[in-house]
Amino acid sequence: MGKRVPFVCGNWKMHHGVEATRKQVRALVEGLPRLKGMVDLAIAPVATTLAAACEAARGSGLKIAAQNVHWAEKGAFTGEWSAAHLVELGVTHAICGHSERRALFGDDDITVPKRVRAAMDAGLVPIGCVGETLAQREAGKTEHVVATQTEAILEVIKPDEIDRLVLAYEPVWAIGTGKNATPTQAQEVHAQIRRLLAKRFGAKAELVRLQYGGSVKPDNAAELLREPDVDGALVGGAALEAASLLAIAEAGLQRA
Protein backbone atom coordinates (compact mmCIF):
# COMPACT_ATOMS: atom_id res chain seq x y z
CA MET A 1 0.00 0.00 0.00
CA GLY A 2 1.37 3.41 -0.94
CA LYS A 3 1.49 6.48 1.22
CA ARG A 4 -1.76 8.35 1.74
CA VAL A 5 -1.61 11.74 0.06
CA PRO A 6 -2.70 14.43 2.55
CA PHE A 7 -6.04 16.00 1.62
CA VAL A 8 -7.32 19.37 2.82
CA CYS A 9 -10.78 20.61 1.86
CA GLY A 10 -12.16 24.06 2.67
CA ASN A 11 -15.90 24.08 3.35
CA TRP A 12 -17.14 27.60 2.65
CA LYS A 13 -20.64 26.85 3.91
CA MET A 14 -22.93 29.82 3.07
CA HIS A 15 -20.14 32.33 2.39
CA HIS A 16 -18.80 33.98 -0.79
CA GLY A 17 -20.84 34.92 -3.84
CA VAL A 18 -19.75 34.43 -7.43
CA GLU A 19 -17.17 37.22 -7.65
CA ALA A 20 -15.68 36.48 -4.23
CA THR A 21 -15.49 32.81 -5.19
CA ARG A 22 -13.61 33.59 -8.39
CA LYS A 23 -11.20 35.82 -6.48
CA GLN A 24 -10.44 33.20 -3.82
CA VAL A 25 -10.11 30.38 -6.36
CA ARG A 26 -7.64 32.42 -8.41
CA ALA A 27 -5.59 33.07 -5.27
CA LEU A 28 -5.63 29.36 -4.39
CA VAL A 29 -4.56 28.38 -7.89
CA GLU A 30 -1.66 30.85 -7.70
CA GLY A 31 -0.62 29.33 -4.39
CA LEU A 32 -0.87 25.67 -5.42
CA PRO A 33 2.85 25.42 -6.35
CA ARG A 34 3.61 25.85 -2.64
CA LEU A 35 2.14 22.39 -2.09
CA LYS A 36 4.70 20.86 -4.50
CA GLY A 37 2.09 18.46 -5.87
CA MET A 38 2.24 16.48 -2.62
CA VAL A 39 -0.98 17.65 -0.92
CA ASP A 40 -4.46 17.51 -2.46
CA LEU A 41 -6.49 20.69 -2.00
CA ALA A 42 -10.22 21.25 -2.53
CA ILE A 43 -12.86 23.84 -1.76
CA ALA A 44 -16.59 23.36 -1.31
CA PRO A 45 -18.27 26.63 -2.26
CA VAL A 46 -21.94 27.65 -2.19
CA ALA A 47 -23.98 25.63 -4.70
CA THR A 48 -24.81 28.70 -6.79
CA THR A 49 -21.11 29.40 -7.31
CA LEU A 50 -20.00 25.88 -8.23
CA ALA A 51 -19.95 26.61 -11.95
CA ALA A 52 -17.82 29.73 -11.46
CA ALA A 53 -15.47 27.83 -9.14
CA CYS A 54 -15.05 24.96 -11.61
CA GLU A 55 -14.34 27.39 -14.42
CA ALA A 56 -11.77 29.34 -12.41
CA ALA A 57 -10.04 26.16 -11.22
CA ARG A 58 -10.07 24.27 -14.52
CA GLY A 59 -6.76 22.57 -15.30
CA SER A 60 -5.10 23.76 -12.10
CA GLY A 61 -5.30 20.72 -9.86
CA LEU A 62 -7.54 22.47 -7.35
CA LYS A 63 -10.50 20.17 -6.65
CA ILE A 64 -14.05 21.48 -6.38
CA ALA A 65 -16.47 19.81 -3.98
CA ALA A 66 -20.19 20.16 -3.41
CA GLN A 67 -21.42 20.63 0.15
CA ASN A 68 -24.21 18.12 -0.39
CA VAL A 69 -25.67 15.74 -3.00
CA HIS A 70 -29.03 13.99 -3.34
CA TRP A 71 -29.27 10.23 -3.82
CA ALA A 72 -31.76 10.35 -6.70
CA GLU A 73 -30.67 10.88 -10.30
CA LYS A 74 -33.64 13.20 -10.92
CA GLY A 75 -37.18 13.80 -9.75
CA ALA A 76 -39.45 15.93 -7.60
CA PHE A 77 -36.88 17.01 -5.01
CA THR A 78 -37.18 20.78 -4.86
CA GLY A 79 -34.04 22.49 -3.66
CA GLU A 80 -31.78 19.47 -4.20
CA TRP A 81 -29.29 18.49 -6.92
CA SER A 82 -28.01 15.18 -8.18
CA ALA A 83 -24.52 13.78 -8.56
CA ALA A 84 -25.00 13.93 -12.34
CA HIS A 85 -25.59 17.68 -12.13
CA LEU A 86 -22.35 18.07 -10.20
CA VAL A 87 -20.32 15.95 -12.60
CA GLU A 88 -21.65 17.99 -15.52
CA LEU A 89 -20.24 21.14 -13.91
CA GLY A 90 -16.82 19.60 -13.30
CA VAL A 91 -17.23 18.96 -9.57
CA THR A 92 -15.09 16.05 -8.35
CA HIS A 93 -16.00 15.63 -4.66
CA ALA A 94 -19.12 15.78 -2.51
CA ILE A 95 -19.42 16.26 1.25
CA CYS A 96 -22.01 13.84 2.65
CA GLY A 97 -23.54 14.12 6.11
CA HIS A 98 -21.78 17.19 7.45
CA SER A 99 -22.74 17.71 11.08
CA GLU A 100 -24.74 20.83 10.17
CA ARG A 101 -26.71 18.79 7.65
CA ARG A 102 -27.36 16.18 10.32
CA ALA A 103 -28.36 18.73 12.96
CA LEU A 104 -30.33 21.22 10.86
CA PHE A 105 -31.65 19.34 7.83
CA GLY A 106 -32.38 15.84 9.05
CA ASP A 107 -29.51 13.89 7.52
CA ASP A 108 -29.05 10.62 9.38
CA ASP A 109 -27.60 7.14 9.12
CA ILE A 110 -30.18 6.23 6.48
CA THR A 111 -29.83 9.20 4.14
CA VAL A 112 -26.08 9.85 4.48
CA PRO A 113 -25.07 6.42 3.12
CA LYS A 114 -27.51 6.94 0.23
CA ARG A 115 -25.76 10.22 -0.61
CA VAL A 116 -22.35 8.52 -0.38
CA ARG A 117 -23.53 5.72 -2.68
CA ALA A 118 -24.91 8.18 -5.24
CA ALA A 119 -21.64 10.09 -5.25
CA MET A 120 -19.66 6.89 -5.74
CA ASP A 121 -21.90 5.71 -8.57
CA ALA A 122 -21.41 9.00 -10.41
CA GLY A 123 -17.63 8.90 -10.10
CA LEU A 124 -17.42 11.58 -7.42
CA VAL A 125 -15.24 11.23 -4.33
CA PRO A 126 -17.54 11.25 -1.29
CA ILE A 127 -16.35 12.88 1.93
CA GLY A 128 -18.46 11.08 4.52
CA CYS A 129 -18.70 12.91 7.83
CA VAL A 130 -19.03 11.39 11.30
CA GLY A 131 -18.76 12.80 14.81
CA GLU A 132 -20.29 13.19 18.23
CA THR A 133 -21.97 16.11 20.02
CA LEU A 134 -20.67 17.54 23.28
CA ALA A 135 -23.44 15.78 25.23
CA GLN A 136 -22.51 12.46 23.63
CA ARG A 137 -18.81 12.94 24.40
CA GLU A 138 -19.52 13.88 28.01
CA ALA A 139 -21.74 10.80 28.32
CA GLY A 140 -18.89 8.59 27.12
CA LYS A 141 -20.67 7.73 23.87
CA THR A 142 -18.06 8.96 21.39
CA GLU A 143 -16.90 5.49 20.36
CA HIS A 144 -20.45 4.20 19.92
CA VAL A 145 -21.67 7.21 17.93
CA VAL A 146 -18.65 7.27 15.62
CA ALA A 147 -18.81 3.51 15.08
CA THR A 148 -22.53 3.60 14.26
CA GLN A 149 -22.18 6.46 11.78
CA THR A 150 -19.06 5.00 10.18
CA GLU A 151 -20.48 1.51 9.80
CA ALA A 152 -23.59 2.92 8.13
CA ILE A 153 -21.38 4.51 5.47
CA LEU A 154 -19.10 1.50 5.06
CA GLU A 155 -22.13 -0.72 4.49
CA VAL A 156 -22.62 0.83 1.03
CA ILE A 157 -18.94 0.77 -0.04
CA LYS A 158 -17.55 -1.99 -2.24
CA PRO A 159 -14.00 -3.29 -1.62
CA ASP A 160 -12.78 -2.31 -5.08
CA GLU A 161 -13.73 1.36 -4.58
CA ILE A 162 -12.47 1.88 -1.03
CA ASP A 163 -9.54 3.96 -2.29
CA ARG A 164 -12.02 6.64 -3.45
CA LEU A 165 -13.64 7.06 -0.03
CA VAL A 166 -12.70 9.92 2.29
CA LEU A 167 -14.01 10.03 5.86
CA ALA A 168 -14.00 13.17 7.98
CA TYR A 169 -14.19 13.04 11.77
CA GLU A 170 -15.96 16.16 13.03
CA PRO A 171 -16.41 16.45 16.77
CA VAL A 172 -19.57 18.58 16.64
CA TRP A 173 -18.58 20.41 19.82
CA ALA A 174 -15.45 21.72 18.05
CA ILE A 175 -17.12 23.14 14.93
CA GLY A 176 -17.34 26.91 14.88
CA THR A 177 -16.74 27.08 18.63
CA GLY A 178 -13.05 27.91 18.66
CA LYS A 179 -12.50 24.64 20.53
CA ASN A 180 -10.78 21.74 18.90
CA ALA A 181 -9.98 18.18 19.81
CA THR A 182 -6.41 17.76 20.95
CA PRO A 183 -4.16 15.89 18.52
CA THR A 184 -4.34 12.91 20.89
CA GLN A 185 -8.15 12.98 20.95
CA ALA A 186 -8.31 13.26 17.16
CA GLN A 187 -5.85 10.38 16.70
CA GLU A 188 -7.80 8.16 19.11
CA VAL A 189 -10.98 8.50 17.06
CA HIS A 190 -9.17 8.28 13.72
CA ALA A 191 -7.47 5.09 14.90
CA GLN A 192 -10.89 3.70 15.87
CA ILE A 193 -12.20 4.47 12.38
CA ARG A 194 -9.13 2.83 10.84
CA ARG A 195 -9.82 -0.31 12.88
CA LEU A 196 -13.42 -0.38 11.63
CA LEU A 197 -12.13 -0.05 8.08
CA ALA A 198 -9.60 -2.85 8.61
CA LYS A 199 -12.22 -5.15 10.07
CA ARG A 200 -14.31 -4.80 6.92
CA PHE A 201 -11.69 -4.24 4.20
CA GLY A 202 -8.45 -5.66 5.58
CA ALA A 203 -5.22 -4.08 4.35
CA LYS A 204 -7.19 -1.80 2.01
CA ALA A 205 -8.13 0.23 5.08
CA GLU A 206 -4.76 1.92 4.71
CA LEU A 207 -5.93 3.51 1.45
CA VAL A 208 -8.70 5.58 3.07
CA ARG A 209 -7.85 9.16 3.95
CA LEU A 210 -9.24 10.39 7.26
CA GLN A 211 -9.72 14.13 7.66
CA TYR A 212 -10.17 15.97 10.93
CA GLY A 213 -12.72 18.77 11.01
CA GLY A 214 -13.24 21.11 13.95
CA SER A 215 -11.73 24.58 14.30
CA VAL A 216 -8.63 23.72 12.26
CA LYS A 217 -6.44 26.79 11.79
CA PRO A 218 -2.94 27.52 10.45
CA ASP A 219 -1.56 27.55 14.00
CA ASN A 220 -2.82 24.06 14.97
CA ALA A 221 -2.84 22.23 11.62
CA ALA A 222 0.73 20.98 11.77
CA GLU A 223 0.26 19.46 15.21
CA LEU A 224 -2.94 17.69 14.15
CA LEU A 225 -1.51 16.42 10.86
CA ARG A 226 1.50 15.01 12.66
CA GLU A 227 -0.72 12.21 14.00
CA PRO A 228 -0.38 8.98 11.99
CA ASP A 229 -4.07 8.58 11.13
CA VAL A 230 -4.93 12.25 10.57
CA ASP A 231 -4.49 12.49 6.82
CA GLY A 232 -5.89 15.93 6.26
CA ALA A 233 -8.51 18.42 7.34
CA LEU A 234 -12.04 19.54 6.54
CA VAL A 235 -11.75 23.25 7.29
CA GLY A 236 -14.53 25.75 7.98
CA GLY A 237 -13.98 29.39 8.92
CA ALA A 238 -10.21 29.32 8.39
CA ALA A 239 -10.79 28.27 4.76
CA LEU A 240 -12.57 31.46 3.70
CA GLU A 241 -9.33 33.24 2.82
CA ALA A 242 -6.92 31.60 0.38
CA ALA A 243 -3.80 32.45 2.38
CA SER A 244 -5.18 30.75 5.48
CA LEU A 245 -6.31 27.60 3.64
CA LEU A 246 -2.99 27.32 1.84
CA ALA A 247 -1.12 27.61 5.14
CA ILE A 248 -3.18 24.74 6.54
CA ALA A 249 -2.54 22.66 3.42
CA GLU A 250 1.19 23.31 3.68
CA ALA A 251 1.12 21.59 7.07
CA GLY A 252 0.42 18.41 5.10
CA LEU A 253 3.86 18.58 3.50
CA GLN A 254 5.34 17.12 6.67
CA ARG A 255 3.50 13.87 5.86
CA ALA A 256 4.58 13.74 2.21
Side-chain angles (χ1 to χ4, degrees), residues 85-190:
H85 294 143
L86 299 175
V87 170
E88 186 177 26
L89 289 176
V91 171
T92 56
H93 293 62
I95 299 173
C96 303
H98 187 278
S99 62
E100 290 162 3
R101 296 290 314 174
R102 290 179 186 263
L104 301 175
F105 301 105
D107 273 11
D108 57 24
D109 290 336
I110 294 174
T111 60
V112 174
K114 290 166 72 173
R115 297 184 194 280
V116 169
R117 187 63 253 164
M120 276 286 189
D121 287 342
L124 296 170
V125 175
I127 302 173
C129 301
V130 302
E132 82 284 13
T133 64
L134 180 59
Q136 290 166 335
R137 173 165 279 272
E138 290 180 340
K141 296 180 179 179
T142 295
E143 185 172 348
H144 172 73
V145 170
V146 170
T148 300
Q149 294 176 347
T150 302
E151 289 285 10
I153 292 172
L154 298 185
E155 191 69 31
V156 303
I157 302 299
K158 303 168 187 174
D160 63 352
E161 62 191 9
I162 191 66
D163 59 321
R164 285 202 293 121
L165 177 66
V166 175
L167 293 174
Y169 167 55
E170 311 175 294
V172 181
W173 47 273
I175 297 174
T177 63
K179 300 178 181 179
N180 64 287
T182 65
T184 299
Q185 289 172 322
Q187 170 58 25
E188 286 174 353
V189 177
H190 282 226

Side-chain angles (χ1 to χ4, degrees), residues 38-62:
M38 296 189 291
V39 178
D40 285 342
L41 183 63
I43 50 117
V46 176
T48 56
T49 72
L50 280 169
C54 287
E55 181 182 357
R58 188 167 290 120
S60 69
L62 177 68

